[in-house]
Amino acid sequence: MAKIKKVINENYEGEFQLFFMCPACNDTHALNHTWDFNGDLENPTLSPSILTHGVMPDSNGEYKEFRCHSWITKGKIKFFGDCSHDKAGQKWFDLLDI
């Protein structure tokens, strides 16, 4: 299975979106065509780092702000220490299949 899903925007030549399943957030993160991508759907490398933030419900159903800051290299993901989830500062988890 692929670790990255690439969706091409047929209305604008060269534009696409990349989607991956984050093992820390247990949710899909999306990137636009401005990220450098090695083209490998199984073992992707993306740069620069990926910063995702917003609000999500916690286990009590209350909405809390979240921050996920990561780096993806050769199909593995490293989380920076400024993440709000429990994998903050941890390195090199396998990306989940999407």
Side-chain angles (χ1 to χ4, degrees):
M1 288 289 294
K3 309 294 185 208
I4 292 279
K5 182 176 182 179
K6 183 176 180 180
V7 177
I8 297 171
N9 184 340
E10 295 179 8
N11 295 322
Y12 297 96
E13 186 175 336
E15 288 190 12
F16 56 86
Q17 283 190 296
L18 301 170
F19 297 89
F20 69 94
M21 180 62 81
C22 177
C25 297
N26 217 18
D27 199 9
T28 304
H29 294 327
L31 307 171
N32 66 26
H33 67 279
T34 60
W35 263 260
D36 288 332
F37 170 50
N38 69 346
D40 188 340
L41 300 176
E42 296 294 324
N43 295 297
T45 296
L46 299 164
S47 64
S49 66
I50 302 156
L51 177 60
T52 304
H53 51 89
V55 292
M56 289 180 70
D58 64 12
S59 58
N60 298 321
E62 295 181 29
Y63 283 87
K64 304 257 180 176
E65 290 186 28
F66 79 93
R67 178 183 178 101
C68 184
H69 193 187
S70 62
W71 189 264
I72 295 177
T73 303
K74 297 179 183 175
K76 304 232 183 242
I77 188 166
K78 171 179 107 172
F79 298 102
F80 291 96
D82 61 346
C83 295
S84 61
H85 51 64
D86 63 351
K87 290 186 175 36
Q90 297 183 35
K91 297 181 182 179
W92 308 126
F93 292 87
D94 288 329
L95 282 176
L96 303 172
D97 292 335
I98 192 162

